[in-house]
Every structure is written in structure tokens, then in C-alpha cells.
Amino acid sequence: MDSILRTNLLSPIALAFALGIVARLIRSEFSLPKDIYAGISIYLLWALGLQGGIELHHAGFAGIAKPAAVTLLLGCVTPLTTYVVLRRLGGFGAADAAGIAAHYGSVSAVTFIAAQTFVKGMGTEAEGYMPTLLTLLESPGIHIALAIGAIQTGGKGRPTSEVLHEVLTARTMVLLVGGLIVGYLIGDRNWQVIEPFFNTKGAMFRGSLTIFMLEMGILAGARFADLKKVGPFLLAFGIVMPILHGALGVWLGTLAGLSAAGACVLGTMAASASYIAAPPAVRVTLPEANPTLYLTSALAITFPFNILFGIAIYYKIALALAPAAAALPATVVP
Amino acid sequence: MDSILRTNLLSPIALAFALGIVARLIRSEFSLPKDIYAGISIYLLWALGLQGGIELHHAGFAGIAKPAAVTLLLGCVTPLTTYVVLRRLGGFGAADAAGIAAHYGSVSAVTFIAAQTFVKGMGTEAEGYMPTLLTLLESPGIHIALAIGAIQTGGKGRPTSEVLHEVLTARTMVLLVGGLIVGYLIGDRNWQVIEPFFNTKGAMFRGSLTIFMLEMGILAGARFADLKKVGPFLLAFGIVMPILHGALGVWLGTLAGLSAAGACVLGTMAASASYIAAPPAVRVTLPEANPTLYLTSALAITFPFNILFGIAIYYKIALALAPAAAALPATVVP
Amino acid sequence: MDSILRTNLLSPIALAFALGIVARLIRSEFSLPKDIYAGISIYLLWALGLQGGIELHHAGFAGIAKPAAVTLLLGCVTPLTTYVVLRRLGGFGAADAAGIAAHYGSVSAVTFIAAQTFVKGMGTEAEGYMPTLLTLLESPGIHIALAIGAIQTGGKGRPTSEVLHEVLTARTMVLLVGGLIVGYLIGDRNWQVIEPFFNTKGAMFRGSLTIFMLEMGILAGARFADLKKVGPFLLAFGIVMPILHGALGVWLGTLAGLSAAGACVLGTMAASASYIAAPPAVRVTLPEANPTLYLTSALAITFPFNILFGIAIYYKIALALAPAAAALPATVVP
Amino acid sequence: MPTTTLKLVTIIAEPVLEATITHDLERLGASGWSITEGRGKGSRGLRASDIPGSNIRIETIVSEPVAEAILRHAAEAYFPNYSVIAYLETVQVARGDKYV
Amino acid sequence: MPTTTLKLVTIIAEPVLEATITHDLERLGASGWSITEGRGKGSRGLRASDIPGSNIRIETIVSEPVAEAILRHAAEAYFPNYSVIAYLETVQVARGDKYV
Amino acid sequence: MPTTTLKLVTIIAEPVLEATITHDLERLGASGWSITEGRGKGSRGLRASDIPGSNIRIETIVSEPVAEAILRHAAEAYFPNYSVIAYLETVQVARGDKYV
Ligand SMILES: Nc1ncnc2c1ncn2[C@@H]1O[C@H](COP(=O)(O)O)[C@@H](O)[C@H]1O
Ligand SMILES: Nc1ncnc2c1ncn2[C@@H]1O[C@H](COP(=O)(O)O)[C@@H](O)[C@H]1O
Ligand SMILES: Nc1ncnc2c1ncn2[C@@H]1O[C@H](COP(=O)(O)O)[C@@H](O)[C@H]1O
Ligand code: NA
Ligand code: NA
Ligand code: NA
């Protein structure tokens, strides 16, 4: 087997995820308690934000303009490609296509974390402002997809604007944006004290992540029974679309001057499908969209694909596209 | 801006607290799950107790008599000053005045932790027996205020004695007193093994504290809407009374021979208002006392004031009052 | 007092456990939130599994055959001895005897962890494959006891086979077996990154364990009121039976070539009584068995006895039985 | 003890509907509500919650006409696309004048 | 299946009242109770809980006279100063003789 | 709003019985159920849960004959050895035809 792929498949993250799936398939009743699941995800996001903030503090915003622009571009393009592909090629109705588009137009923070961990495991490092890009990619795709859906279906659900306030002020955004600001402000002396607890390369972060991935495996495994219900088109879509979006993200990231590691992470973000922010937003604004379709494709197809294979693929694309110099990280973190 | 104040305001603790307030003000639905909030506070209190116990083990009880005496004195004086000020100057009824007095006569463990963290950040260290003083200050104020209230209002609620058993055996007391004893007994070899996990200067403790402060900010922010309801007198009271109690605590602490750091922490304890132990005790023994008054003043005025400004002020008072020698910690922890 | 016993009684684990009991006896309402309790136990089991896996990876399965065989033998013998003693000497009915036998025939993971921690505190180390033995001992005893019970009482509860699927796929088994496999596969490089978080000798593991033991003390203390109800025979049984099973386990372990540390841990397993897996399994398959009997003996008698005294006793037996050479660990973990 | 006879309306729904439903209850004239979290199984199983099967139970004590309006609204607005059940019973409320 | 007709009394209250209420229930003759935790919104919103809006629901199955006594006590002792609602319904209880 | 008159059966039981009871409900003809977790105190206090006093409340909306069958089964299969209470009330269910 290819060595990059192998390294990824034997990582604690991928194996813990696989174990969670297996636990579910043998009908174990084991699952992480709800509050522990929430607690770990709060910790992971807060650590990510803080670390991003301190890195911004070091490297500044120099060079962030272009990557930010292509990230926003991805946020506008990916919901549209998803919608068009599903309607034209897949023959899906407007509500279902828009609902799925909201998921693929947004981003999965856990997949992002896995990509960050992966490139660090490769001995390289993405640009320090990647968490900033994550916050930029979170909501535009949801916004656009819901707007299309509301127009096409007559908008029988809750008004999009109201729901968007919830997306923008949700846990992920508060912790990431807030963490970025706090990390930026506290300075090195304060950071050093808490660094072993929050360092995203550290044992605490990586260890907690394995426990979190167990539960992600359980959640994904619980949806496997629904794979039969979504039909062959969506099965293929859940793998091919991420590859296309991932390649597009890597290419745009490389154009914008990101390192290979950074381009890989941006590609992963584009390829990933939200399963935290998007589902409730879609459920209340597009009631006719079938939740089995969007949840199964995001959680039981695209998420496992990205964790187990996708990230390694996007990294290979990034290495192939990278000019010799850009394969090194643009900013070296001290 | 003053540098001590600035250092405090840019500390991760203060910034995380501010972020929590902001999250609440933008109507984010983010909050720490109940069990995680409880779990972190158990960890913080247990660590505090253990560390205090091991320090007692090193330094012994030498020199604790006088500080303990002034602490008990503060526990008797602060509920009385609060009650008299509120009744005479504020025109509050007996139930409301006694209810608020129970809060200001007791102590907030989180404010205490913030003060400990602050003086350590200043490169100094309070005496090892400070957690012992905290346990001494916890209940007398509540006892006295509830007794006054019961006498003045005819005691329509649950009997004070019953409720005091709950205060004395509550989580905070079990973990602090128990931790002190366990820490005292285990000895250095055992402590070294678990020290990185519990050291109150360490990354684990400080990092968890930032997450805890996020939620404290959310809880305080949730009460901001009630600031309008409590009237200008209580608004001023919630800031002026802590300063007076804080100055008194620092002065008595200095007289009792505490270092500047120790006097600052004792002053902070005196200045702080309980919002864990006092509210339920008051609610069931003094039903006529309006909870909006005591909760808003303790949680939305005094707590933020102390965290953001008070501690730094008490430290400056302590430095000013300290005889040259006492500005160094009385006991040097190895 | 004997020094080994004294060391054990002054360990953070034993003291935290004792504190939990005291908290309960003074009628404190303090307890660990349900999800935190579950979260810590997930962490402990997962760490145990991973560490066992990496040690298997180093030492291989060489020498595991004999210890595994005697472990399975213990899993068959201990439920039978328990059942016979209770029926013949104790005069218990078939349902009660079989119910208690299911508990003493299985194993308590927390007691196992305490034994592992104890031998490490003694400066020695059990064989790396001990967690593997733990998984082998988990279910046979429950299986055998429930089968006896179902035959003797006519099987009015849920079918044993259905319930055994739940035992085999429960949290403990998923995390231990899964952790062993994942730890075995990830290799040293991955392990080094997460090791400080999961190392069962480390501060994180040991520190969390003290918090967990607090709750164990509370749970045991809550059953103390029932000690009066179970009668003198079961009181004595709960102490004598573990000593006999413990001695048997140590002896068989020594015969099978385990080090003194390993034999002590195996003896502890044999001596311990399950209070996680067994109670629900017995409750639904043997409805007539009185839960007060099996819960009180397992949780309020045998568990405290093992934690406070038993482990030290089994260690002394192991030292006495050990041939000079085997007193050292068979496998030195790098 | 004089009590008022009122209707207790119970709605069991997907958690994601909490804001929608409480907003609607307020609009339809309910003076308050109580919510508990739970789980369940039904014949359809349509839902978007991350924890499969989790639901919320919303209860509100209201006058008969308001109860009627709530059930009617639930049937129209929630039933077609959401996992929701709604039912009412008669209860005797202490100081019930507060809820009408 | 023979059942006994009894009263189910429900009290929704601030969490801080749990000990007070269950103690009172015992004194007034209830043989047991069940408690679930929840949250809610009412017209007054008076409460001292750290988590705004959280409440407990206490239910007890009792005979009619005990139910009357409980509602009367709730109205006198809890209503003036606490966020509490109380109501009763009629239920058919299996083996209901146990609860009287 | 046309409603259907049905029976709401409530069973409060030790948590360990969840699988047993829901399995039995299905067998006896219930189309679904809702579960909430709680705690309680009764006259017997027999139970094997690790957290003393914790229980589950299972509710199911069913036709009268099914309700009868459930209560009968509960009395026979659960009452002798388990901490269980069971009762039924009459409710008006919106779109109630779904549950029969
Ligand atoms: N017959 C029933 N009795 C009680 N609760 C039910 C019943 N049917 C459905 N439910 C509840 O309603 C939710 C949605 O049901 P459904 O839309 O049929 O999937 C379930 O999760 C249950 O909590
Ligand atoms: N009309 C109502 N229906 C159901 N529950 C209510 C109602 N009004 C109040 N409640 C509950 O009673 C609690 C206290 O209400 P209040 O004293 O009006 O603030 C609220 O938190 C709700 O849980
Ligand atoms: N009178 C009652 N009213 C309401 N719930 C009860 C009553 N008696 C018992 N329960 C509930 O049923 C469970 C078992 O009761 P028991 O079998 O009497 O111990 C208790 O934990 C309570 O949750
Ligand atoms: Na995407
Ligand atoms: Na004070
Ligand atoms: Na055993």
C-alpha cells in the first residue's frame, strides 16, 4: 500500500474512528456520554482557536489576503456545484439538493483537525492562520444553499436570516473566533503557561482527539444502515464530489501561495461536509428536505472517506501541484 | 494603562471571561454542558485542596493561627457591614438585606483561584495555607446572615440549621477540606507522580480554568439584563463594598503577618461574594428575599469587577501596606 | 503497621476512596456528575487498552499462553466455588447464590487498575499483557453463573444468550479489546505523541484515577446502610472469599510463570467482584435474586477490602511464592 | 382547594424544533411551558438530530380554545415533515387563573 | 386488569426546592414520588438556580384527599415566593392499593 | 381539530429494564414510545442501578385493549421482582389514527 495512505490508516485517529464504527456494527451499546462529547469538542475547538491566535500573533496577517479570498470563493462555489450536480445529474428535488448543498458548502471542523494532525504527522506544518480560514468557510455555503432552497420551494420553514444568526453564533464560531482573538492578545508569556494543555501537536490534544474519534465512528456507523436508502447516485456523489472539491481547494490554495501542507488543509476543508452546523439549519428552513439523505451522505459517506483516504489524497495532489519552494511551510512557527 | 491592571486584563482568565460575556450578549446559545461545568469545578477544587495539603505538609501550621483568626473575624464582620449598609443606606427590607449579606459574608472559590493565579503571575506566591483560610471563610458569613434574616422576618423558610448542614457538606467543602487532608497525608513521593495534573501553576489547571471562565462569563452575561432591575444603589454597592471589604482583608492580613501576596488573596476572599453556596441556602431559608437582587449583585456586578479589576487593586493595596520584609512570601515553597 | 500495607493506605487512590466514603457517611450530597464518571472510566479503560497494546507490540505474545490458560481456569472455578460456598455453607437460595457467583466470577476493572498502580508504586511492573488477561476474565464467570441460575430457577428472566451479547459488547470490552488492537497497530512513533496523556504511570492517568476513586467511595459508602441487611455470613464471605480466590490466583499465576507483580495483579483480578457488568446482567436474567445482596457484597465489602488491604496481601503472597528469579518482571518494558 | 380545569397539551418533537415550537406557543397564547429531554421510537423515525432518537417533550397548560389552536397548528405546520406527536388531557390546576 | 383510580399530582418547581417539597410530600402522606429534570418559561421567572430556567418536575400518585392536601399546601407554602405550578389528573393505577 | 381518544400508559421502572420493556411493548402492539430519565423514591426501593434511585419513565400511546394488555403484562412480569409502577390515563391525540 502507498506509504502516505498507510501512515494515515495506522494513525490513532483513523484507528479510533474505525473502532467506533466496528463497535456500532457489532451492536455495542457503548457511546460517549452526550456531555463528554460536547466537552471534548469544546476543548478541541478552543485549543485550535488559541493556537491559531498565537500563531497569528507571531506571523501576522501578512499573506492572508489571497488565501482568505480563495476560501470565500470556495464557500460560494461548492454549494453551487453541489446543487447543480444533484439536480441535473442526480435528479433530486430542489429541497433535497439545497439541503445537501448546505452541508457540502460548509465545513467539518473535525475533518479540518484531522488534516492539521495529518500534515504535522508528515513533518510539515500548515500556515498559522488556517483556523481563520475555517471560520470564513463555515457559513457562506449554508447561507447560499438555504437561500436557493427557500426561493425554489417557497420557504415554508423558519426564515433563513433568523437561522443564520444561530449558525454565526454557534459553539464552533464562538470558540474559534473567540480563541483566535484571545490567543492573539495574551502574548507568549501567558501562552507558555497553558501551552502543554492546548498545543494541537501535544499529547492532550491528540489523546482527546482519539476518544472523540471513537464517538465519531459510532455516529457514522449508526448511519450505515441508511446507506441502502440513499441510492447509488448519492453513494458515488459522497466520494467523487469531495475529491473534486478537494482538488479545487488544493489548486486554489496553491495559487494563493499556500504551502503544500496549507493547500492540503484548505482542500480538505472544501472537500468536507458540515454535520454540526448544517443539519439543524436545513431541518428548520427546508422542512421538506429528507434528513436521511443529507445526514447519511455527510456523516456516513464523506466523513469516513475523508478521514481514511481523502486527506492523504489531497496531500498528494498538493505535493504534485506545489512549486518546489512552496512545499515548505510559508511561515515557520518558532 | 497601569501595568498590573493591564497584565490582569490580558490574562487568559480575564479574556476567557470577557469572551463568555460577549457570547451571551450576542445571544449565542453556546454554554458549557452542565456536567462539564461541574466536572471542571470538581477538578479545580480538588487540585486546590491537594496542593494546599502538600504545602501544609512542607511548611506546617506554623504562623497559621493569626491569619486564621483574622479570617474568622472577616467572616463575622463582612455580613454585618453588608446588612447594615443595605438597610440603613440602601433602604432594603430585612429579607433582602440578609440575603445579600449571606452572599458577601461568604466567599467565591473561583475569585480565590483567580487571585492565586494572579499573584503567581506576578512572580510571587501566597502562603501555602490559603486554601485552609478559604474553608474557614465559607460558612460563618452565611450562618450569621441567615440567622439575622430568620429573626427579623419570622423564619418562614426551612430551618437554618438544616440548611447549614448542606453548606458545610457541599461539594466545595468536601473537596477543599478533603483535598487538604489527603494532600497532607500522601507525602512527596506520591505527590510528584500526580503533580503535573494538579499543580495549580501548571498547564492543566490554568488551561481548564480558561474553559471554566468562559462559562462564568456566560453566566454573568446572562444576568446583565437584570442590572436594570436592581437599581443604582445596588450597582454602586456591588463595586464599592468589595473595595472596602478587600481593603479591610488586606489590612488585617498584613497585620496577621501575611506576605503581600497572601494579604492580596485574603483581601480578595473578603471582597468576593459567594454565588454557589449562598444562593440555594438563602432561597430556602429566606423565601421573601428577591433572588434577582442577590444573584445579580454577586454574579453580574461583584464577580466581574473582582476578576477584571478588584484583584489588581487589592494587590496594589497589599504592596502599599506591606512592610519591606513581608512583601516576600512568608513561606518559601520548595 | 506493615510497610507495604501502610504505603497502600497512604496512596492517593486509597485516600481518595476513603474520602468518598466519609463524604457519604456525613450525608454530603456531593457526587461526581454521571457523565463525568462515565467519561473518566472511558478514559481509564482506553488508556489501559492502548498501553497494553503497545506493550504487546514490544514483548509479543511470547509466554502469554500459560497465563491465559490459568486466567480462563480462574474464570471457571471462581463462580463455582462462590456458588457452592453460598448454597452449602451460607444456606442461600439458588437465585441469590448464582447472582452473587456471577459477580465474584467476573472482575472489577477498577480494582485491576489499583493493583497495576500498586505494583508500579512498589517499583516493579506486571507483564505487559495483563489487560489481555483482564478481558479474558470478564465474561466466563458471568456466563457460568447465569447458566446455573437459569437452570436451577427455571429461567424466568431474559434469555442468558441475549444478555451475554450485552456483556461482551459493553463499554469495558470495546475499550479494552479495541484499545489493545489500536495500541498494537499504531507503533512507537504514534504512541510517543500521545503517551503522556495515556501512560498509566503518568500524572494524567493517576490524577484522574483519584477523582474516580472519590466517586467509588461515595458509591460504596451509599451501600453501607445495607450492610445490616445482608447478615453476618455475607459480611465474612465478602472478605474471606477474595482472600481465597486471591491466593489461588497468585499461586496459579506463579505456576504459569508470571512475575511476582503479575501474579499479584492476577490474584487481585480473581479476588475482585464485578459491579459494572454483572449487576444488570443478573438483574434481568435472575429477577428473583435480591440485588441488595449482590450489590452490597461486591461494592460495599469486597471492593473496599481489596482496595485498602487485599492488594497488599496478594502482593505479599506473590513475593512469598515467587522463585527468586520470577520476582522480577518477566518482560522489561523499555 | 379550588382548582381550575384546564388543558395540558404535550408535544413530543425533534430537538431542533424547540425554538420554532416555543415561539409558536407564545404566539398562540400560551403563558408558559415546560420542557424535558428524552428519547423515543415511533413509526417514522424522521429526524436530523445528531443523537438518533433523542427528542424533547414540551408541555403547556392552557385554556381549551388555545389548546385547540395549538393542536391544529401542530397538525398543519409540523406533522407533514417532522417527527412530532401531540395530545391533550384535562387537568385541575391550582391557582389556574394565572394560565388563561 | 383491575386498576385503582387515583390522583397524579404534578409539581414543577425551582430545583432548590427539591428537599423541601419531597419532605412535605412524605409528611402529607405520599408513599413515593418520581422526579425528572427539565427547563421552562413562565410568567414570573423568579428563581435562584445557577442555570436560568431549569426546573424539576415532581410527580406523586396519591389518594384524592392527599392530593387535595398537597395542592393546598403548595398554594400556601410555595406559591407566594417561589416559581411553582401544581396540577392534578385522574389516573388508573395497576396494583394501586400500594399507594393509599 | 378532530382528535382520537386513546390511552397513555406510563411505566416507571429501573433503568436496567429498558430493553425488556420496550421489547414487550412492541410485542403487545404499541406503535412507539417515549422515554425520559429521572429518579424517585417508593416504598420498596429494590433496584440494581449503580446510581441509587435512578429510573426511566416509558410512555406509550395505544388503544384501550393494548393498554389493558400492557398493564396486565406489567403486573405479571415486572411487579413481583422489580421496582415498577404503571398507570394509564385518557388523552386526546391529534392524528391519533396513526397509533392504533
Ligand atoms: N405510540 C407512541 N407513544 C408514545 N410516543 C410515541 C409514539 N409514537 C411515537 N412516539 C414518539 O414520537 C417520536 C416521533 O415518532 P415518529 O414520527 O412516529 O417517528 C418518537 O421518537 C417517540 O418519542
Ligand atoms: N402555562 C404553563 N404551562 C406549563 N408550564 C408552565 C406554565 N407556566 C409556567 N410553567 C412552568 O412553571 C415554571 C415557573 O413558572 P413561573 O412561576 O410563571 O415563572 C416555568 O419555568 C415553567 O416550567
Ligand atoms: N406514589 C408514587 N408516586 C409516584 N411515583 C412513585 C410512587 N411510588 C413509587 N414511585 C416510583 O416508582 C419507583 C419504584 O417504587 P418502589 O418499587 O415502591 O420502590 C420509585 O423510584 C418512584 O420513581
Ligand atoms: Na465543504
Ligand atoms: Na466575602
Ligand atoms: Na473475580
Side-chain angles (χ1 to χ4, degrees), chain C residues 80-95:
Chain C
L80 297 176
T81 51
T82 306
Y83 183 78
V84 170
V85 165
L86 290 170
R87 295 230 56 179
R88 295 286 150 85
L89 303 181
F92 285 82

PDB file of all heavy atoms in Angstrom, chain C residues 80-95:
ATOM      1  N   LEU C  80     -17.930 -21.167  40.497  1.00  0.00           N
ATOM      2  CA  LEU C  80     -18.374 -22.424  41.100  1.00  0.00           C
ATOM      3  C   LEU C  80     -18.107 -22.436  42.610  1.00  0.00           C
ATOM      4  O   LEU C  80     -18.983 -22.784  43.406  1.00  0.00           O
ATOM      5  CB  LEU C  80     -17.684 -23.610  40.429  1.00  0.00           C
ATOM      6  CG  LEU C  80     -18.025 -23.776  38.932  1.00  0.00           C
ATOM      7  CD1 LEU C  80     -17.210 -24.912  38.330  1.00  0.00           C
ATOM      8  CD2 LEU C  80     -19.529 -24.033  38.772  1.00  0.00           C
ATOM      9  N   THR C  81     -16.891 -22.052  43.005  1.00  0.00           N
ATOM     10  CA  THR C  81     -16.599 -22.025  44.446  1.00  0.00           C
ATOM     11  C   THR C  81     -17.578 -21.083  45.152  1.00  0.00           C
ATOM     12  O   THR C  81     -18.121 -21.412  46.203  1.00  0.00           O
ATOM     13  CB  THR C  81     -15.153 -21.558  44.708  1.00  0.00           C
ATOM     14  OG1 THR C  81     -14.934 -20.342  43.994  1.00  0.00           O
ATOM     15  CG2 THR C  81     -14.143 -22.588  44.270  1.00  0.00           C
ATOM     16  N   THR C  82     -17.807 -19.917  44.557  1.00  0.00           N
ATOM     17  CA  THR C  82     -18.731 -18.962  45.164  1.00  0.00           C
ATOM     18  C   THR C  82     -20.119 -19.582  45.335  1.00  0.00           C
ATOM     19  O   THR C  82     -20.730 -19.511  46.413  1.00  0.00           O
ATOM     20  CB  THR C  82     -18.861 -17.703  44.278  1.00  0.00           C
ATOM     21  OG1 THR C  82     -17.561 -17.194  44.026  1.00  0.00           O
ATOM     22  CG2 THR C  82     -19.698 -16.641  44.962  1.00  0.00           C
ATOM     23  N   TYR C  83     -20.609 -20.205  44.263  1.00  0.00           N
ATOM     24  CA  TYR C  83     -21.954 -20.770  44.288  1.00  0.00           C
ATOM     25  C   TYR C  83     -22.066 -21.852  45.350  1.00  0.00           C
ATOM     26  O   TYR C  83     -23.001 -21.867  46.166  1.00  0.00           O
ATOM     27  CB  TYR C  83     -22.299 -21.330  42.902  1.00  0.00           C
ATOM     28  CG  TYR C  83     -23.713 -21.865  42.803  1.00  0.00           C
ATOM     29  CD1 TYR C  83     -24.791 -20.998  42.663  1.00  0.00           C
ATOM     30  CD2 TYR C  83     -23.968 -23.232  42.863  1.00  0.00           C
ATOM     31  CE1 TYR C  83     -26.098 -21.480  42.569  1.00  0.00           C
ATOM     32  CE2 TYR C  83     -25.263 -23.727  42.783  1.00  0.00           C
ATOM     33  CZ  TYR C  83     -26.322 -22.843  42.631  1.00  0.00           C
ATOM     34  OH  TYR C  83     -27.612 -23.319  42.553  1.00  0.00           O
ATOM     35  N   VAL C  84     -21.104 -22.741  45.362  1.00  0.00           N
ATOM     36  CA  VAL C  84     -21.156 -23.860  46.300  1.00  0.00           C
ATOM     37  C   VAL C  84     -21.057 -23.373  47.749  1.00  0.00           C
ATOM     38  O   VAL C  84     -21.833 -23.777  48.620  1.00  0.00           O
ATOM     39  CB  VAL C  84     -20.039 -24.883  45.978  1.00  0.00           C
ATOM     40  CG1 VAL C  84     -19.924 -25.924  47.084  1.00  0.00           C
ATOM     41  CG2 VAL C  84     -20.326 -25.555  44.636  1.00  0.00           C
ATOM     42  N   VAL C  85     -20.116 -22.480  48.009  1.00  0.00           N
ATOM     43  CA  VAL C  85     -19.965 -21.948  49.369  1.00  0.00           C
ATOM     44  C   VAL C  85     -21.265 -21.286  49.836  1.00  0.00           C
ATOM     45  O   VAL C  85     -21.733 -21.517  50.963  1.00  0.00           O
ATOM     46  CB  VAL C  85     -18.790 -20.946  49.432  1.00  0.00           C
ATOM     47  CG1 VAL C  85     -18.848 -20.118  50.710  1.00  0.00           C
ATOM     48  CG2 VAL C  85     -17.465 -21.678  49.331  1.00  0.00           C
ATOM     49  N   LEU C  86     -21.877 -20.495  48.973  1.00  0.00           N
ATOM     50  CA  LEU C  86     -23.084 -19.776  49.386  1.00  0.00           C
ATOM     51  C   LEU C  86     -24.265 -20.716  49.624  1.00  0.00           C
ATOM     52  O   LEU C  86     -25.034 -20.545  50.565  1.00  0.00           O
ATOM     53  CB  LEU C  86     -23.463 -18.718  48.341  1.00  0.00           C
ATOM     54  CG  LEU C  86     -22.514 -17.521  48.277  1.00  0.00           C
ATOM     55  CD1 LEU C  86     -22.834 -16.650  47.062  1.00  0.00           C
ATOM     56  CD2 LEU C  86     -22.629 -16.681  49.550  1.00  0.00           C
ATOM     57  N   ARG C  87     -24.394 -21.734  48.771  1.00  0.00           N
ATOM     58  CA  ARG C  87     -25.517 -22.663  48.934  1.00  0.00           C
ATOM     59  C   ARG C  87     -25.291 -23.588  50.128  1.00  0.00           C
ATOM     60  O   ARG C  87     -26.173 -23.762  50.960  1.00  0.00           O
ATOM     61  CB  ARG C  87     -25.707 -23.505  47.658  1.00  0.00           C
ATOM     62  CG  ARG C  87     -26.122 -22.667  46.456  1.00  0.00           C
ATOM     63  CD  ARG C  87     -27.320 -23.233  45.748  1.00  0.00           C
ATOM     64  NE  ARG C  87     -28.472 -23.398  46.632  1.00  0.00           N
ATOM     65  CZ  ARG C  87     -29.656 -23.853  46.255  1.00  0.00           C
ATOM     66  NH1 ARG C  87     -29.846 -24.212  45.015  1.00  0.00           N
ATOM     67  NH2 ARG C  87     -30.648 -23.963  47.102  1.00  0.00           N
ATOM     68  N   ARG C  88     -24.114 -24.215  50.193  1.00  0.00           N
ATOM     69  CA  ARG C  88     -23.869 -25.216  51.222  1.00  0.00           C
ATOM     70  C   ARG C  88     -23.642 -24.585  52.592  1.00  0.00           C
ATOM     71  O   ARG C  88     -24.291 -24.914  53.574  1.00  0.00           O
ATOM     72  CB  ARG C  88     -22.621 -26.062  50.870  1.00  0.00           C
ATOM     73  CG  ARG C  88     -22.780 -26.898  49.637  1.00  0.00           C
ATOM     74  CD  ARG C  88     -23.695 -28.112  49.885  1.00  0.00           C
ATOM     75  NE  ARG C  88     -24.393 -28.487  48.663  1.00  0.00           N
ATOM     76  CZ  ARG C  88     -23.902 -29.284  47.724  1.00  0.00           C
ATOM     77  NH1 ARG C  88     -22.708 -29.829  47.867  1.00  0.00           N
ATOM     78  NH2 ARG C  88     -24.600 -29.550  46.630  1.00  0.00           N
ATOM     79  N   LEU C  89     -22.665 -23.654  52.633  1.00  0.00           N
ATOM     80  CA  LEU C  89     -22.327 -23.091  53.938  1.00  0.00           C
ATOM     81  C   LEU C  89     -23.256 -21.950  54.312  1.00  0.00           C
ATOM     82  O   LEU C  89     -23.614 -21.784  55.474  1.00  0.00           O
ATOM     83  CB  LEU C  89     -20.879 -22.589  53.948  1.00  0.00           C
ATOM     84  CG  LEU C  89     -19.815 -23.626  53.584  1.00  0.00           C
ATOM     85  CD1 LEU C  89     -18.423 -22.999  53.648  1.00  0.00           C
ATOM     86  CD2 LEU C  89     -19.896 -24.808  54.546  1.00  0.00           C
ATOM     87  N   GLY C  90     -23.641 -21.162  53.333  1.00  0.00           N
ATOM     88  CA  GLY C  90     -24.408 -19.951  53.647  1.00  0.00           C
ATOM     89  C   GLY C  90     -25.904 -20.170  53.659  1.00  0.00           C
ATOM     90  O   GLY C  90     -26.654 -19.327  54.155  1.00  0.00           O
ATOM     91  N   GLY C  91     -26.358 -21.303  53.085  1.00  0.00           N
ATOM     92  CA  GLY C  91     -27.783 -21.553  53.038  1.00  0.00           C
ATOM     93  C   GLY C  91     -28.568 -20.604  52.138  1.00  0.00           C
ATOM     94  O   GLY C  91     -29.766 -20.399  52.324  1.00  0.00           O
ATOM     95  N   PHE C  92     -27.917 -20.032  51.138  1.00  0.00           N
ATOM     96  CA  PHE C  92     -28.627 -19.127  50.232  1.00  0.00           C
ATOM     97  C   PHE C  92     -29.428 -19.916  49.202  1.00  0.00           C
ATOM     98  O   PHE C  92     -29.068 -21.047  48.864  1.00  0.00           O
ATOM     99  CB  PHE C  92     -27.632 -18.222  49.511  1.00  0.00           C
ATOM    100  CG  PHE C  92     -27.093 -17.127  50.380  1.00  0.00           C
ATOM    101  CD1 PHE C  92     -26.049 -17.358  51.266  1.00  0.00           C
ATOM    102  CD2 PHE C  92     -27.654 -15.847  50.342  1.00  0.00           C
ATOM    103  CE1 PHE C  92     -25.560 -16.350  52.076  1.00  0.00           C
ATOM    104  CE2 PHE C  92     -27.168 -14.837  51.150  1.00  0.00           C
ATOM    105  CZ  PHE C  92     -26.128 -15.087  52.025  1.00  0.00           C
ATOM    106  N   GLY C  93     -30.468 -19.309  48.672  1.00  0.00           N
ATOM    107  CA  GLY C  93     -31.252 -19.907  47.602  1.00  0.00           C
ATOM    108  C   GLY C  93     -30.461 -19.908  46.307  1.00  0.00           C
ATOM    109  O   GLY C  93     -29.428 -19.225  46.180  1.00  0.00           O
ATOM    110  N   ALA C  94     -30.976 -20.659  45.323  1.00  0.00           N
ATOM    111  CA  ALA C  94     -30.242 -20.806  44.064  1.00  0.00           C
ATOM    112  C   ALA C  94     -30.075 -19.470  43.350  1.00  0.00           C
ATOM    113  O   ALA C  94     -28.996 -19.150  42.846  1.00  0.00           O
ATOM    114  CB  ALA C  94     -30.973 -21.799  43.165  1.00  0.00           C
ATOM    115  N   ALA C  95     -31.124 -18.657  43.279  1.00  0.00           N
ATOM    116  CA  ALA C  95     -31.051 -17.400  42.539  1.00  0.00           C
ATOM    117  C   ALA C  95     -30.029 -16.468  43.186  1.00  0.00           C
ATOM    118  O   ALA C  95     -29.168 -15.901  42.504  1.00  0.00           O
ATOM    119  CB  ALA C  95     -32.428 -16.730  42.503  1.00  0.00           C
TER     120      ALA C  95
END
